[in-house]
């Protein structure tokens, strides 16, 4: 059995891999073009052109939580199992969403502008207590955010594809047919869902029109779930009050993008989960799966390739 690892891995990770699968052949920094034909598993991305030559390949692990970039057509049509690092960044993503909501409710950019001008600017602002937040996506990040929002005394609505699963911290679970009602009830709508064929462009002009004019839109998972033109139009027309965007339809966000200049928009550079703990949790998930694969046990975080996550 041979597992190929693409990219760079420090010695502590290499030791962890050897400890997890002591009887397995491993190659770090692998050249897939040379080794793919003999590989049983790959930790990293496998291009479509090489997948056709991977006659023994049974498992691919994505170091990322979202697999929209890894789930190519060839992999989708193959029998190869795909796993992800889903859950590694859930905690900081939920924290980042709370940060966005706090900043938007208090118009924190106004304070920052005043500080830069050394100007004492006191004004009435909002609070999160009593507000309703709608979570579009109730995976690891969404559920962690639900717990944090409840700690801030918020009412939590949730929307997910698999409605029968438990949703602790969620006051009301909405079905897909409830989407307009879900949007109309929220003071904040936070996107924590993966980018899939079903979620791409879900927040279009009709969706933003259904939101309160006082409501804010926050996206911390993947760009492309919101139609950027529709979002810009809603912000310019005052159909929604503001937005906090860590994930963008085009990344890096172009310098000429109007999002940079809008006073009611907070832009961060897809940086919400860039923490050392996220990286450590990702390594832990990968090592757990390496051990499981070597022992012939069920893998963790198996991706439903049809659903896209």
């Amino acid at each position: 059995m041979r597992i190929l690892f693409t990219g760079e891995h420090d010695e502590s990770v290499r030791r962890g891999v050897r400890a997890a699968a002591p009887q397995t052949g491993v190659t770090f920094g692998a050249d897939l073009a040379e080794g793919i034909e003999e590989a049983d598993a790959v930790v990293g991305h496998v291009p479509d052109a090489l997948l056709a030559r991977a006659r023994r390949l049974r498992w691919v692990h994505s170091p990322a939580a979202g697999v929209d970039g890894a789930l190519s057509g060839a992999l989708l049509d193959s029998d190869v199992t795909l796993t992800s690092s889903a859950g590694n960044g859930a905690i900081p993503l939920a924290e980042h969403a709370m940060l966005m909501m706090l900043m938007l409710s208090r118009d924190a950019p106004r304070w920052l502008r005043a500080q830069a001008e050394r100007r004492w600017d006191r004004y009435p602002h909002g609070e999160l207590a009593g507000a309703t937040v709608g979570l579009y996506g109730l995976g690891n990040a969404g559920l962690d955010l639900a717990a944090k929002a409840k700690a801030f005394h918020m009412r939590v609505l949730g929307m997910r594809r698999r409605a029968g699963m438990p949703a602790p911290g969620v006051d009301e679970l909405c079905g897909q047919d409830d989407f307009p009602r879900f949007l109309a009830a929220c003071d904040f709508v936070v996107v924590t869902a993966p980018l899939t064929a079903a979620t791409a462009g879900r927040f279009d002009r009709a969706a933003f029109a259904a939101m309160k004019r006082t409501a804010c839109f926050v996206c911390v998972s993947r760009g492309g779930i919101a139609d950027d033109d529709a979002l810009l139009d809603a912000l310019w027309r005052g159909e929604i009050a503001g937005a906090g965007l860590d994930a963008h339809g085009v990344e890096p966000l172009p310098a000429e993008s109007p999002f940079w200049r809008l006073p009611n928009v907070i832009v961060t550079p897809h940086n919400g989960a860039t923490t050392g703990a996220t990286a450590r949790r990702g390594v832990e998930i990968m090592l757990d799966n390496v051990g499981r694969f070597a022992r012939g046990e069920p893998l963790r975080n198996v991706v439903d390739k049809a659903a896209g996550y």
Side-chain angles (χ1 to χ4, degrees):
M1 185 183 297
R2 177 157 295 279
I3 304 177
L4 305 185
F5 291 76
T6 64
E8 298 293 326
H9 299 275
D10 63 30
E11 186 54 36
S12 65
V13 173
R14 296 182 182 213
R15 285 196 302 269
V17 169
R18 295 186 187 104
Q23 305 303 317
T24 301
V26 297
T27 302
F28 297 99
D31 182 345
L32 292 186
E34 293 184 1
I36 194 65
E37 294 180 6
E38 302 301 320
D40 297 283
V42 172
V43 175
H45 177 64
V46 181
D48 279 3
L50 295 181
L51 195 61
R53 293 168 42 200
R55 55 190 176 85
R56 291 175 45 177
L57 190 65
R58 291 182 284 137
W59 169 47
V60 172
H61 179 75
S62 169
V67 296
D68 46 288
L71 195 52
S72 64
L75 187 58
L76 183 63
D77 294 336
S78 75
D79 294 328
V80 175
T81 298
L82 176 66
T83 60
S84 75
S85 296
N88 64 336
I91 291 170
L93 279 182
E95 290 179 353
H96 203 75
M98 292 303 307
L99 170 69
M100 291 285 199
M101 289 193 290
L102 285 166
M103 292 182 72
L104 288 164
S105 70
R106 284 162 162 70
D107 193 9
R110 176 171 168 175
W111 278 325
L112 296 174
R113 291 191 295 271
Q115 180 177 348
E117 298 167 5
R118 304 179 190 179
R119 181 167 43 85
W120 191 257
D121 183 18
R122 299 180 76 245
Y123 54 89
H125 56 72
E127 58 185 49
L128 297 186
T132 296
V133 56
L135 309 182
Y136 184 76
L138 284 174
N140 295 289
L143 291 175
D144 195 76
L145 178 55
K148 289 177 167 61
K150 292 304 292 182
F152 276 74
H153 312 294
M154 302 181 78
R155 177 171 177 251
V156 180
L157 306 184
M159 180 167 285
R160 61 153 41 127
R161 183 175 67 96
R162 293 171 288 194
M165 295 180 64
V170 176
D171 295 300
E172 182 181 351
L173 192 59
C174 302
Q176 296 300 320
D177 292 341
D178 298 323
F179 192 50
R181 182 178 67 84
F182 166 84
L183 295 173
C186 295
D187 300 296
F188 297 90
V189 174
V190 182
V191 174
T192 58
L195 178 61
T196 68
T199 64
R202 187 70 173 97
F203 284 82
D204 54 12
R205 294 180 191 278
F208 291 117
M211 291 174 61
K212 298 177 184 178
R213 297 180 72 87
T214 54
C216 292
F217 174 78
V218 175
C219 184
V220 295
S221 58
R222 284 290 188 269
I225 295 175
D227 179 315
D228 281 352
D229 290 338
L231 176 55
L232 280 167
D233 193 52
L235 289 163
W236 276 329
R237 291 174 178 270
E239 291 181 346
I240 62 173
L245 306 174
D246 188 51
H248 313 272
V250 178
E251 296 184 354
L253 188 65
E256 63 273 15
S257 171
F259 285 121
W260 291 111
R261 301 189 299 274
L262 288 174
N264 56 343
V265 175
I266 299 167
V267 170
T268 53
H270 210 147
N271 210 187
T274 313
T275 70
T278 293
R280 289 193 297 273
R281 285 187 290 264
V283 169
E284 290 168 2
I285 292 168
M286 179 270 290
L287 293 177
D288 183 26
N289 265 349
V290 166
R292 289 167 178 258
F293 184 74
R295 296 187 298 271
E297 298 174 357
L299 296 172
R300 175 180 173 187
N301 284 357
V302 173
V303 173
D304 179 341
K305 292 193 285 186
Y309 62 94

